Amino acid sequence: MVNNQNSFRIKKLSVLILTAILGFIPVAHAVEFNTDILDAEDKSNIDLSRFSQAGYIMPGKYSLSIKVNDHTVQDVDIFFYERPEKKQADGTIPVEECLPPAQISLLGLKSDASAKLGRWHNDECVDFSGLPGIALRGDLAESSLLISIPQAWLEYQDASWLPPSRWEDGVPGVIVDYNVNTIVSRPIEGQQTENISGTGTLGANLGPWRFRGDWQANYDHTNHSGLATQRSFDWSRIYSYRTIRSLQSKLTLGEDYLTSNLFDTWRYTGASLVSDDRMLPPRLRGYAPEVTGIARTNAKVVISQQNRVLYESTVAAGPFRIQELSDSVNGTLDVRVEEQDGSIQTFQVNTATIPYLTRPGQLRYKMAAGRPTGYDHHLEGPGFGTGEFSWGISNSWSLYGGAIAAGDYNALAVGLGRDLLAFGALSADVTQSVAQLPNQENRQGKSWRLSYSKRFDEYNSEITFAGYRFSERDYLSMGEFLDALSQDSYVAQDKELYTITANKSFSDLRLSAYLSYSHQTYWNQHATDRYSLSLSRYFDLDGWHNLSTTVSATRSDYNSRRDNTAYISLSVPLSSGTLSYNGNLSNSDYSQTAGWFQRLENNDSYRLSAGTRSAQDQDMTTQASGFYSHRGDVANVDANVSWVQNSFTSAGLSLAGGITATAQGAALHPSGTRGGTRMMIATDGVGGVPIERNERTNAFGIAVVPDISSYYRNTTSIDVTHLPDDVETSGSPVAESALTEGAIGYRRFNVLKGAKVIATLRLSDGSSPPFGASIRNGKNRELGIVSDEGLAWLAGINPGEELSVNWNGAEQCMVTIPSAITENQLLLPCESPPG
């Protein structure tokens, strides 16, 4: 038996080598084989007809991945047809790939190149002969259609960005995303309190349209207090939107918040058409705001704007830096840090707008119309129309401006942006407002603004944003005007605003610094300030390597209340985890803890800490806490517990995830951007297949990768290094895509699950199928090639499965796998197919 196996391996290897050599022959000429070189006893029973032409594929339909210049584009069904009009002199009729005209947009061809394409096979297939240099080749071993296109015929694209013709709207489907946080706290004195809060999005996709409803809910209960339990559930926003590719814009209908680089933001119901910076190459995109702070205990951070929750999550004690906010968010953000000891930090963050620059000759614009809307969905205030633009005059200068027309309120803005090249980018603008309030004189005022941004590569530092704004007393923004209408008084009328966000790295010292500062003054109330400074350094000490220390400090003056917080930490990495010391000073309270952090093999992590806590006029107390984080296949789960001597005990749980359902399947998945772009992966019904981001396909062979970047070139792949022993992929394990916002992408990977055996095939007359015959499953995938005397190595077979054996360009017989595979070598009768 061993000799037979060795003989089989040698013969199979000869066929595979021959196939590989032929696969690299660029022109499909007929080839004659010298079968005398093959180690086959019956040299008359050999079928190498399908290898006689380079890359020969029998006519039929195949499920293949289109690859353009080695980048996977999409999985499609491709037909291969004979082309009698190209019959060779020796009588050979070539078989060619048929790419349908509907798939041309996936290639990213320039419009003038697309106009040169022809048609064949009753106009069902595209003829590329009019574009020299383009080559197509089917590769069944890789389950791919390889297309090589010279760069001259392609639209602009780079390593992370694809042109609009390559964007995909995804497949129709339904999404449900959620983020739920619960906290139970039991004080030493008082009653136990329970809080459950949640936010999420319910949505549906149909073609390019996205239909969304954002919700938020809250539950508060205090045991034996006599107080009524408070419950609330609200649809904070109901809307729909779609991408307008030809305009590189986003059309939104329904409830929305004004997105503007010139004016403040307010809630309205209506329609908008906005040039979306995310559709531009990455270097031309905008700045996404971030929020930093220090949590004194395990805490819940809630970021909202005009009562709409934008972000909610649980964070461990210590500094936090939230960078998950969309770059479409602008204006003032309200931040609420709910500590587990019952205390609350509140402050505001003014988001930055980088200098308004536009590429030469390009026009960016934003238009909206409707009526302002309250949080209860009722229309309030006058109807309005607004628009703004930015035009690239030259390589260095941009002209921009905009206007608001709302009856009793009107505003006009104009500005210039200047690319200072090595010195950064600068813009300046002025806005004039005219407002008529009931029973008051007409109010007119101006607001001036200066913005600056610069990356200093030579110094490893960056001023992400620096800005100054001054508004006259009689200047009113649209938001202030609406507040005055509804409350008959001025609310927080802006005067001056200073902002800066910067970071710096000192490579020699292994030190990095981050600074955020904002100072806002008002004409009718006290000023507010927000400082945040963080220093981090790595160092070695007496044989200990990569120790790190962090010092952070924040000050917030908001609503006549001052909060000062400082944090210091020292981390010592050990072989299995990290040992740390943390100190936290909050106003007059000071706490210190020793902690242990460890990441587990399944990528979960936990943090344990214990220490002391002291407050003004109070004795020192002991405290302990724990935080566990699980990033699972179906949800992200964070659990935490805290205890402070003579004070309180609390526990919390955070659950974030979603479900995505399409006609191709459904799956639970971890959290991503609410209602955002995602990729559904199908693995031919094979469950437990690992995906690159630590997800695994469910029992139906479906997984969803959340939080895919919109309009970027994304890759999704199977983690082949962790495949189960009885699972293997055929074809490329990597898929590429560029999805429009909110899309549900879909990619199917060719995955085989089953046994791997040596089989001997026999025909009804006792002979064997010819050397080189192909053995295929019901999905037309090749599982093996017949060697000498009917021997074949089969991979991915399952009990009771029927396989076809093909030679001479057609199916000749079928074999049936036994209902139980108990041996490593099978004898399989090959019977003629029915009919």
Side-chain angles (χ1 to χ4, degrees), residues 449-467:
R449 183 177 64 166
L450 189 67
S451 302
Y452 177 76
S453 178
K454 166 62 180 169
R455 168 69 186 172
F456 300 91
D457 291 319
E458 62 274 25
Y459 301 112
N460 288 322
S461 60
E462 180 178 13
I463 297 178
T464 305
F465 176 79

Side-chain angles (χ1 to χ4, degrees), residues 623-635:
Q623 64 176 354
S625 67
F627 195 96
Y628 189 93
S629 182
H630 170 67
R631 296 296 177 260
D633 297 340
V634 299

Side-chain angles (χ1 to χ4, degrees), residues 137 148 204 399 401 505 547 579 620 624 662 675 688 722:
R137 180 171 67 87
S148 175
L399 173 68
S505 295
L547 281 73
L579 185 66
M620 181 177 294
T662 70
H722 292 92

